[in-house]
């Protein structure tokens, strides 16, 4: 019954949000509450929700202050040279912008953290998209593809979890899928080219000189920005580079870095109380929109985990695999991994489902390492920037200004194609067998 309730919760959520019957926030909170009540968990509901909120609290804090930090830096014009450079190279061409978005995303994603990747790339590129009139869905979609493929690196979430769950090392899990990852990178560039080509046909090519300069920061016509002293620009650049270095080196927890970094930046850039309040009021809406989604996702995952719906769903999934498919389990895992990212949290899949799958394939004479390689090609690799069960998804859609359902409909087929391309290359190169 718990498995049925869990699958019902997921299906109702996807159905109601993708058809825009209710907002994502309402669906994240009320649907699991109702299914938990239907399952007789009313007395434990409060504790499960608090546990879920507690787990996402550090992420919510980080996002709140990161959004404020990068909003401040955009206002201060820190990213203007980068934006001008991108526009100069792209020459107002949406196709080049889309490909450039993929390249920038994959470079930034080398740190292995989806949240910081989305914060940095969307903050830098959203003004460019607004300036050219490009759809923000193209931005969220291409960033999704680039970050997804780069999430294969050993210090990224999927590979690290797979190695920990099955007690394997990177030479057993990551090294054999390097050719598949390379193919995934090529596919992301091809996909961004095709998406950009479609956007070019919709908009045409717009020379940068034809766009008023006041649109540079995406504030709309008539926006005037006070000139920034060069010394302040240098300070902002040094502070941002130091913050990014701290993120990569993990000198402090991410929420702490952004809290301290924003406080310093706010004091230096807006030394008076009135100007500080003005900035907080101007960007408070963006913070509320993103963080409320993060905490609503905490309610969702807290209930599904606390009621054991997730674990029962994992058992039910493994139980329906026929013996005749046992020998083909790695391929099945790779192909189904991406859609299953919409159903399972990363921890639930890698620490709950994957060990059972590995044990199953061992019974058919296969290697658990093959299952691990197959899992990282789909589950939470191309799927994590689409999943409502991953907090960083709401950073991407929230900062891009798109609805989760629209984002999923727009990029799902491209993301799933990434998994198929990498799976095909993995089969050809012997990362796992058919």
């Amino acid at each position: 019954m718990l498995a049925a309730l869990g699958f019902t919760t997921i299906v109702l959520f996807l159905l109601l949000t993708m058809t825009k019957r209710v907002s994502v926030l309402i669906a994240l909170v009320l649907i699991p509450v109702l299914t938990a009540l239907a399952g007789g968990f009313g007395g434990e509901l409060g504790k499960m929700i608090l546990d879920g909120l507690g787990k996402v609290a550090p992420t919510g804090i980080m996002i709140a202050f990161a959004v404020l930090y990068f909003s401040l830096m955009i206002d201060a014009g820190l990213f203007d040279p980068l934006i001008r450079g991108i526009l100069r190279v792209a020459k107002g061409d949406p196709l080049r912008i889309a490909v450039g978005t993929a390249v920038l995303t994959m470079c930034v994603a080398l740190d292995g953290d989806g949240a910081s990747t989305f914060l940095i790339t969307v903050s830098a590129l959203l003004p460019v998209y607004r300036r050219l009139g490009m759809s923000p869905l193209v931005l969220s979609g291409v960033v999704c593809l680039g970050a997804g493929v780069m999430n294969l690196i050993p210090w990224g979430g999927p590979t690290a979890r797979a190695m920990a769950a099955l007690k394997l090392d990177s030479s057993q899990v990551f090294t054999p899928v390097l050719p598949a990852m390379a193919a995934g990178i090529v596919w992301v560039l091809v996909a961004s080219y095709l998406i950009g080509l479609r956007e070019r046909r919709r908009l045409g090519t717009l020379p940068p000189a034809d766009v008023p300069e006041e649109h540079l920061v995406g504030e709309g016509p008539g926006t005037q920005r006070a000139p920034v002293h060069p010394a302040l620009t240098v300070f902002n650049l040094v502070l941002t580079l130091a913050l990014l270095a701290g993120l990569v080196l993990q000198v402090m927890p991410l929420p702490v870095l952004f809290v301290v970094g924003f406080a310093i930046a706010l004091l230096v850039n807006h030394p008076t109380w009135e100007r500080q309040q003005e900035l907080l009021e101007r960007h408070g809406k963006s913070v509320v929109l993103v963080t409320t989604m993060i905490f609503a996702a905490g309610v969702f995952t807290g209930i599904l985990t606390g009621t054991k719906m997730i674990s029962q769903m994992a058992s039910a999934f493994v139980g329906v695999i026929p013996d005749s498919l046992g020998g083909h389990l790695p391929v099945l895992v790779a192909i189904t991994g991406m859609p299953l990212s919409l159903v399972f949290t990363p921890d639930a899949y890698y620490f709950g489902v994957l060990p059972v799958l590995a044990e199953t394939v061992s019974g058919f004479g296969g290697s658990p390492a093959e299952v691990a390689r197959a899992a990282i090609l789909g589950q939470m690799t191309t799927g994590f920037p689409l999943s409502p069960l991953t907090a960083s998804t709401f950073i991407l859609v929230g900062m891009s200004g798109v609805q989760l359902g629209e984002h999923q409909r727009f990029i799902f087929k491209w993301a799933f194609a990434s998994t198929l391309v990498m799976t095909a290359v993995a089969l050809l190169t012997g990362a796992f067998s058919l």
Side-chain angles (χ1 to χ4, degrees), residues 168-338:
L168 302 170
D169 59 39
S170 61
S171 65
Q172 296 171 290
V173 178
F174 174 69
T175 305
V177 300
L178 271 171
M181 182 179 177
I185 291 172
V186 172
W187 166 251
V188 168
L189 295 175
V190 171
S192 61
Y193 177 90
L194 296 173
I195 293 170
L197 183 62
R198 186 170 60 186
E199 193 71 355
R200 175 203 274 176
R201 289 169 179 162
R202 185 178 73 86
L203 293 174
T205 301
L206 181 64
D210 292 351
V211 183
E213 186 65 22
E214 59 263 25
H215 285 280
L216 188 59
V217 294
E219 297 289 347
T223 298
Q224 297 296 324
R225 186 171 62 197
V228 179
H229 194 281
L232 185 58
T233 301
V234 172
F235 171 82
N236 287 336
L237 178 60
V238 172
L239 179 62
T240 301
L241 292 176
L243 182 60
L244 297 179
L247 293 174
V248 174
L249 299 175
Q250 298 181 353
V251 296
M252 289 184 186
L254 265 62
V256 175
L257 285 172
F258 275 111
V259 168
V260 175
F262 173 69
I264 295 171
L266 182 61
L267 178 63
V268 174
N269 284 268
H270 302 281
T272 65
W273 181 87
E274 291 80 8
R275 291 180 61 190
Q276 291 169 5
Q277 289 300 112
E278 179 187 349
L279 181 131
L280 291 172
E281 291 172 2
R282 184 164 65 250
H283 297 294
K285 178 182 177 182
S286 299
V287 172
V288 170
L289 287 174
V290 178
T291 53
T292 51
M293 290 296 182
I294 298 293
F295 287 112
V299 175
F300 193 88
T301 55
I303 292 175
L304 263 65
T305 302
T307 57
K308 309 297 183 186
M309 290 184 196
I310 286 280
S311 58
Q312 291 300 312
M313 290 161 65
S315 299
F317 171 71
V318 174
V320 300
I321 300 174
D323 291 344
S324 60
L325 292 178
H328 307 291
L329 201 53
V331 176
L332 182 64
V333 168
I335 293 175
T336 60
M338 187 264 178

